[in-house]
Amino acid sequence: MLNPDRFISDLHSLRQFGASGIGNGVVRPAYSEADIAARRWLANQMADAGLRVEVDPMGNLFGLSEGPSLLLGSHSDSQPEGGWLDGALGVVAALEIARASRAAGGPPISVVSFQDEEGRFGVTTGSAVWSGNLTQSAADALTDHQGIPLRDARNAIAEMVTGTVDPSHFSGFLEMHIEQGPTLDTKNERIGVVTEIVGIRDVKVTFKGEQNHAGTTPMHLRRDAFQAVSAFNTLLNDRLRNVVTPTTVWTIGHINLHPNASSIVPGQASFSMQWRDGDADRLNRMEKIIRETAAEIAEKNAMELSFGPLLGLEPVEMDPKLQASLVEAAEAVVPGHWRKMPSGALHDATNVARLMPVGMVFVPSINGISHAFEEDTSEADLVAGLQVLARAAGVHPVGSSPVG
Ligand code: HGY
Ligand code: MN
Ligand code: MN
């Protein structure tokens, strides 16, 4: 049987690694001390559950059941300011279901916590390498915002590495995750059966102008890199209007002004340009507009323009059979309080979908908040999600009575 109390207690134990800020916040970026300590704790829990622990060269942590098995899991690294459930929920739920499955004599369940899903170095880099979406050498060359290459960062986990893990062990992948958006919360529903995951593009853009004195440099003589970013952002919002839909998103989330000083006209601005949509063609059209608009602004503002490597993942559909299992389980556990929905957030399931059938199930995020210390979900919804995931994974009995 599932043990909901142990499940909730494990979530709080995992939160201790990198516990920060207000409420249930965590700071547990890939390969940080907190991340590695969390992976050690998870490895011990997996071993105690009777699973064979393996860690691949990227630091993806697996708890393997004997023979062919269904893989359940998510990631345990966090954003620079993250919530206690983003990723961690799917890993701890997988662990609890693996325990219940072994106690019930099957079906065989394996567990995974992927590394750097939050993209300290790129976009879902751990599962991207494991799935063959990204080569190890390309991943190793990626750097974080401080310029640290992934090659150096992953040395911190080297002593845990046991070798590669063959994806052919697994018949499919199921991931439980918080919605990280407002839909379930505002519609007062408790479970989301994911139909598809959006695609993403992410590129670093740099404008290089001229550093100069903020007092003596007349406005008409300036080559101010921040002004170029500001003009680019305004023009881009206008240019994208006829291409995007109400669900398309684009974000400048990180900006590095050089030299970032009050009395110096910034000579250089490097920023992250990220966009997401469910349609690959629209993502490509947006890329063209972004590149053309940046070139136009560079020309007008006498800036040098450069782009970093373009990172991205294509939109992906969830497996119909796994969706059907999740629908049956949702109707059994929370009858009438679930919906089918797309995912606006990226997940490891996108990469794993290259290798095997994948399915995802969401639980609500209170006020739709995520990637923030305030991220939270009610315990009752967490347990409902656990029961839906277990039932869809064929692990019974899971207490088919609807949870309160
Ligand atoms: O950004 C994302 O969608 C994911 O949480 N890393
Ligand atoms: Mn996540
Ligand atoms: Mn996230």
Side-chain angles (χ1 to χ4, degrees), residues 75 79 86 117-118 177 180 371:
H75 62 93
Q79 282 285 331
D86 182 349
E117 188 281 340
E118 296 293 9
H177 207 283
Q180 300 183 289
H371 284 191

Side-chain angles (χ1 to χ4, degrees), residues 32 42 78 121 130 157-158 161 199 211 229 242 269 273 289-290 297 309 318 331 335 343 354 377 383 390:
S32 62
L42 283 166
S78 84
F121 293 93
W130 184 66
I157 206 159
V161 172
Q211 181 172 325
V229 178
N242 301 329
M273 185 72 235
I289 292 170
I290 287 164
I297 291 291
M318 298 293 97
E331 186 54 24
S343 173
R354 286 168 58 93
T377 298
V383 174

Side-chain angles (χ1 to χ4, degrees), residues 75 77 79 86 116-119 122-124 177 180 197-198 200 274 276 343-348 370-371:
H75 62 93
D77 63 293
Q79 282 285 331
D86 182 349
D116 197 30
E117 188 281 340
E118 296 293 9
V123 173
T124 63
H177 207 283
Q180 300 183 289
I197 302 174
V198 294
I200 189 172
Q274 186 189 94
R276 308 184 191 203
S343 173
L346 257 292
H347 299 287
D348 292 307
S370 183
H371 284 191

Side-chain angles (χ1 to χ4, degrees), residues 23 37 61 111 139 164 198 200 227 244-245 345 352:
L61 167 65
V111 178
T164 54
V198 294
I200 189 172
Q227 291 296 334
V244 298
T245 74
V352 181

